[in-house]
Amino acid sequence: MSQDDHVVARTAEEVEAWYRTTETIPWDVPVPQPALVELERRGEITGAVLDAGCGLGQNSLFLAERGYRVTGTDLSVWAIERCREKARERNLDIDFRVADATSLQGMSGPFETVVDSALLHCLDKPRREAYLEAVHRVCAPGALMHVLCFSDAMPAGIPVPDRLSEADVRKAFADGWKISRLEHDLYTTVFTTADLRQHISDPGWEPSAPFGLDADERITMPVWRVTAERV
């Protein structure tokens, strides 16, 4: 995995080619993100849910299994096809759509909850602004947006799309949103220690703060956990 494999602001064609040719999809974890599970347990997921940049759908599937009305969007046709297959296998009614998150064209909502599990940091600043404007448009007043995005605690040398500072996050949500939570957390990836050693070409690398390991020996990476209210 090179830095070029995780460039920001990809076109739809680039995203599609990447999904179809990459050997390891970093977010293809067979379980929902623990932070999302916690949010749901605490009652912070309500009403109609938008899973923006849903990837291969684990978070959408988790929420639908718990009775939420879920719409999952991704820029990749291939990814959405896989999501639909999983929903059919589990007999779940989820509205999976191919859509550009920076416009959400054809979508009107209104959504009461938005989940962003590692999309925001994949967008450059102009697309980040367009994305949050589009999400604002399809959200009901008072809706909550929950975001996990890579933070500037991520060490150099780890190939990720971007590292957002606290100031970056606050600036992104300055218009139309009120941040109620901005705290450090961890994001579960598909990588093992051996995988990441290979990707960063460092055979002696060991996970230490700010990294961690989950119960299944998957690498966890430093993120911001953000909750913002649509105003």
Side-chain angles (χ1 to χ4, degrees):
M1 186 195 335
S2 70
Q3 181 65 39
D4 289 341
D5 290 326
H6 293 285
V7 294
V8 298
R10 287 182 169 133
T11 65
E13 292 76 14
E14 289 171 329
V15 169
E16 194 66 27
W18 185 86
Y19 260 113
R20 291 178 182 273
T21 59
T22 191
E23 294 182 3
T24 303
I25 299 172
W27 49 88
D28 187 17
V29 184
V31 294
Q33 283 295 318
L36 176 65
V37 174
E38 181 183 350
L39 287 168
E40 197 279 331
R41 179 182 60 80
R42 289 161 50 174
E44 296 190 45
I45 308 292
T46 60
V49 180
L50 171 64
D51 185 1
C54 64
L56 295 175
Q58 290 299 338
N59 292 329
S60 291
L61 295 165
F62 165 76
L63 293 173
E65 286 175 337
R66 278 147 186 79
Y68 297 94
R69 181 162 56 90
V70 181
T71 299
T73 66
D74 201 276
L75 197 55
S76 167
V77 173
W78 183 90
I80 290 298
E81 288 174 348
R82 302 291 84 74
C83 289
R84 289 170 177 166
E85 289 174 3
K86 292 178 182 180
R88 285 194 294 269
E89 289 170 358
R90 302 189 192 190
N91 196 30
L92 294 172
D93 183 14
I94 304 175
D95 183 8
F96 283 118
R97 304 188 190 188
V98 178
D100 185 338
T102 65
S103 64
L104 296 176
Q105 186 174 357
M107 299 180 64
S108 58
F111 296 98
E112 284 75 45
T113 304
V114 179
V115 174
D116 173 342
S117 182
L119 173 60
L120 188 68
H121 62 233
C122 292
L123 305 172
D124 60 11
K125 183 178 177 181
R127 292 194 179 191
R128 199 179 299 159
E129 293 174 353
Y131 164 53
L132 291 174
E133 289 175 1
V135 172
H136 189 276
R137 175 180 58 81
V138 300
C139 278
L144 294 182
M145 184 173 187
H146 302 292
V147 179
L148 296 175
C149 60
F150 287 141
S151 75
D152 52 359
M154 182 78 71
I158 304 298
V160 296
D162 202 359
R163 298 161 171 81
L164 275 63
S165 67
E166 179 177 347
D168 291 331
V169 174
R170 292 193 181 281
K171 185 173 182 180
F173 286 91
D175 295 326
W177 300 91
K178 180 180 179 181
I179 294 176
S180 58
R181 175 190 291 117
L182 177 54
E183 59 192 29
H184 294 287
D185 207 330
L186 292 169
Y187 178 87
T188 301
T189 73
V190 74
F191 297 124
T192 64
T193 299
D195 293 331
L196 202 55
R197 285 173 179 164
Q198 180 179 358
H199 289 314
I200 64 177
S201 301
D202 182 355
W205 184 86
E206 291 289 342
S208 59
F211 297 98
L213 291 173
D214 73 1
D216 294 302
E217 300 295 310
R218 292 181 290 242
I219 297 291
T220 58
M221 294 186 171
V223 293
W224 291 112
R225 189 203 293 204
V226 186
T227 297
E229 180 184 353
R230 195 265 201 202
V231 295

